[in-house]
Amino acid sequence: MLDISSRVRVHVETLLAAQNDMGVCDAFQQYAPARKPDAMNAPHPPKVAGTDPTIPPPAHTAAPVPGPPPVPAPGGPAPGALLQDRLAGWVSDLTTLHELTERLARTRTLDAALQELLRAGAALVGARRGLVVLESGDAPGPGTTVGLGLARADLGHIETVPRGALPYGRLLDTAAGLPGGEGEIVHPDLFADDGLDPRHREVAARLGYAASYALPLTTEATGRLGAAVWLYDEPAEPHERRRHLVGLYVRYATEHLARLTELEYTRACMTTIAEELLPSRLPRVTGVQLAARHRTGPRGGGDWYDALPLPDAALGLAVGSVTGSGPSAVAAMGRLRASLRAYAVMEGEDPVAVLSDLELLLRLTEPARSATALFAYCEPALRKVTLAGAGHSPPLLIGERRTEFVETSVSAPLGMLACWEAPSVEFETEPGETVLLYTDGLLHRTGDPMDRAFARLHAAAAGVPRTLRRDPGAVADHVLRTVLPDGLDMEDGTEDVVLLAARFD
């Protein structure tokens, strides 16, 4: 006689062991079949002196083999088939969770992760629309609200409902959204709820949803991060198995969102610090118009620019880049820029002396760091420019009759040689011509070899429309968008980008 129960028991134990190895066995304990020892097949110790002591089996022995299953009713499914269906369900759930978490892990921005959370959650609970609200009590700044299948106007209507009447408001403002709290808020039929807020009823009727299911975005490690709500077009609610799966998914998603939130906050802080170390506004000098554009990388880089009035109605222009990225590079950039301003005020008419002093300071105070820099001493009344560069890309002269790179001497970056010195270059501009200074990040972000990147930059400058040439800001924007097309100028890149344009009247 075929022992179906023994075979099924072996497969169940094998699956549970594999699930324990994968760390997700606890996710499916509720589906584990109950098993009771069979008293008829249990070993009986011998009776001694008329007693029948109960001696537990040793811990290392195998569990008793359960007895045969009950005889199914005629025409009903066999027990083995039922367990096989249950096993297939577990494997399907594991596969689904694995695929969804893998897709979520591939997101690199907070917005993309929120959209992926809403889409995956909607598929798990069987909804069509939803929204997620990030509102951590620890992170500064306003909350973030993202919708799935909801336009901005729809989100605006939802925000007119009193906060305490909305599921996410209850999760965020009460202990329900904390670890160990209520955990979920289910409204299977909003319009059948006599206690529903009148404004909530009006908004639900306007937007066409009749039920909702909400979960907090919270874990023991991250605390309360926000809440997610999925909306149903008809009265409905997810069954127990769907709730269990979406709960596991949201737990992982919360940890991923917490990491991305911290990363975005760090990036914002680095961008703010870098911007504060650069000029808050450019000076106004007779005979010249100035404009600057700056794009900071995600980790914060050391590219900088400066423009400062000098004695005798002169103007000093500078761009540079410090090696490395992160807080240390940003701090070094601030120190270098402040030092160059001091040297420019004292001896700005000699750009070689300014860069020589800067190189000596860098070599003595930060011997492990190098930097590139370019300093130009401008006399707007004469439209004359005297400049010197240390390992920096040459400026670009843009005019009606010519678009060309300024010939500068080849020189090593600051901090690379025991004693830096290079000859300066002097040239004059025509009325209406623009001198464009930039950092190497503009060229590196193209992804092209340097010769092709220089050619792309030259073509972009030569193609500036005549109607834009009177505005140095428009010239810089056109060059930036042309060299880095398809929005690459606004995306985060590994390199900082700086452009400083000076148009001489």
Side-chain angles (χ1 to χ4, degrees):
M1 179 176 181
L2 181 62
D3 187 4
I4 297 178
S5 176
S6 300
R7 293 192 176 189
V8 172
R9 180 180 62 83
V10 173
H11 291 309
V12 170
E13 292 178 350
T14 303
L15 177 64
L16 293 178
Q19 292 173 348
N20 277 317
D21 292 341
M22 291 185 287
V24 295
C25 181
D26 57 338
F28 302 99
Q29 286 179 355
Q30 62 174 341
Y31 303 119
R35 186 177 60 196
K36 296 182 180 180
D38 187 1
M40 298 296 296
N41 294 332
H44 291 271
K47 294 184 179 180
V48 179
T51 63
D52 187 9
T54 302
I55 304 176
H60 62 273
T61 58
V65 178
V71 179
L82 293 176
L83 289 180
Q84 287 180 359
D85 291 343
R86 187 172 297 177
L87 289 175
W90 294 346
V91 173
S92 175
D93 292 344
L94 284 172
T95 303
T96 300
L97 284 176
H98 175 73
E99 292 177 353
L100 293 178
T101 52
E102 282 289 315
R103 288 173 55 180
L104 181 66
R106 287 195 292 268
T107 58
R108 292 294 180 263
T109 64
L110 185 59
D111 289 340
L114 293 176
Q115 290 290 343
E116 180 60 32
L117 165 64
L118 286 173
R119 285 193 294 266
L124 288 174
V125 302
R128 187 174 64 88
R129 293 178 290 176
L131 70 153
V132 60
V133 178
L134 292 186
E135 195 174 283
S136 175
D138 300 330
T144 301
T145 303
V146 177
L148 173 68
L150 297 171
R152 287 182 177 270
D154 299 334
L155 295 177
H157 287 303
I158 293 176
E159 291 178 355
T160 63
V161 180
R163 184 181 174 93
L166 291 170
Y168 71 80
R170 291 173 52 189
L171 291 174
L172 293 174
D173 297 341
T174 66
L178 293 174
E182 185 175 349
E184 64 178 6
I185 296 180
V186 186
H187 286 153
D189 191 348
L190 288 171
F191 299 106
D193 185 1
D194 295 335
L196 187 67
D197 182 86
R199 179 57 183 167
H200 192 185
R201 184 185 303 273
E202 179 183 350
V203 170
R206 176 190 292 267
L207 300 184
Y209 66 88
S212 66
Y213 179 71
L215 283 176
L217 303 178
T218 177
T219 64
E220 293 287 349
T222 64
R224 180 163 47 196
L225 188 64
V229 183
W230 288 277
L231 307 175
Y232 296 87
D233 297 340
E234 302 291 340
E237 63 176 306
H239 55 69
E240 188 64 26
R241 181 177 177 184
R242 285 179 177 267
R243 293 185 188 181
H244 191 66
L245 289 178
V246 75
L248 293 173
Y249 177 77
V250 167
R251 187 188 312 169
Y252 172 81
T254 302
E255 297 177 355
H256 185 64
L257 291 175
R259 291 190 293 268
L260 291 179
T261 301
E262 183 178 0
L263 179 60
E264 297 241 345
Y265 177 66
T266 303
R267 289 179 177 178
C269 289
M270 293 301 304
T271 301
T272 302
I273 294 174
E275 295 292 343
E276 290 296 326
L277 291 175
L278 296 174
S280 58
R281 59 181 180 179
L282 298 173
R284 294 183 178 181
V285 179
T286 303
V288 64
Q289 302 176 47
L290 300 175
R293 299 293 183 265
H294 182 218
R295 301 288 185 268
T296 305
R299 297 184 58 191
D303 287 16
W304 52 276
Y305 67 94
D306 205 351
L308 67 158
L310 297 176
D312 301 328
L315 174 68
L317 302 177
V319 292
S321 177
V322 177
T323 56
S325 60
S328 62
V330 173
M333 174 266 288
R335 293 191 294 268
L336 205 65
R337 172 178 170 264
S339 301
L340 185 138
R341 290 176 70 91
Y343 298 144
V345 170
M346 292 186 296
E347 47 191 1
E349 68 279 358
D350 186 358
V352 173
V354 172
L355 294 185
S356 296
D357 294 341
L358 194 65
E359 192 277 335
L360 179 61
L361 175 71
L362 186 67
R363 182 157 44 88
L364 293 178
T365 60
E366 302 186 55
R369 194 180 297 277
S370 63
T372 65
L374 187 146
F375 179 74
Y377 179 78
C378 306
E379 300 174 78
L382 303 176
R383 295 192 298 275
K384 185 171 72 173
V385 180
T386 304
L387 64 87
H392 208 81
S393 300
L396 189 59
L397 192 59
I398 306 172
E400 294 289 343
R401 301 180 180 178
R402 58 176 176 174
T403 300
E404 59 188 22
F405 291 101
V406 177
E407 294 292 337
T408 57
S409 58
V410 178
S411 173
L414 303 176
M416 298 293 291
L417 301 178
C419 181
W420 176 90
E421 186 170 351
S424 61
V425 176
E426 184 178 302
F427 64 93
E428 294 184 2
T429 66
E430 298 293 333
E433 289 187 331
T434 299
V435 178
L436 183 66
L437 284 65
Y438 54 94
T439 58
D440 292 343
L442 176 65
L443 306 174
H444 292 160
R445 281 205 187 191
T446 63
D448 294 335
M450 291 303 290
D451 56 344
R452 294 183 60 184
F454 275 114
R456 176 182 292 189
L457 175 58
H458 184 275
V464 175
R466 182 169 299 180
T467 57
L468 302 179
R469 292 179 182 266
R470 298 181 62 86
D471 183 3
V475 171
D477 289 335
H478 176 85
V479 170
L480 195 58
R481 290 192 301 265
T482 306
V483 176
L484 301 175
D486 301 327
L488 294 177
D489 58 316
M490 299 301 297
E491 291 185 359
D492 286 340
T494 57
E495 300 280 347
D496 283 9
V497 176
V498 164
L499 282 85
L500 179 60
R503 181 183 183 277
F504 290 86
D505 297 336

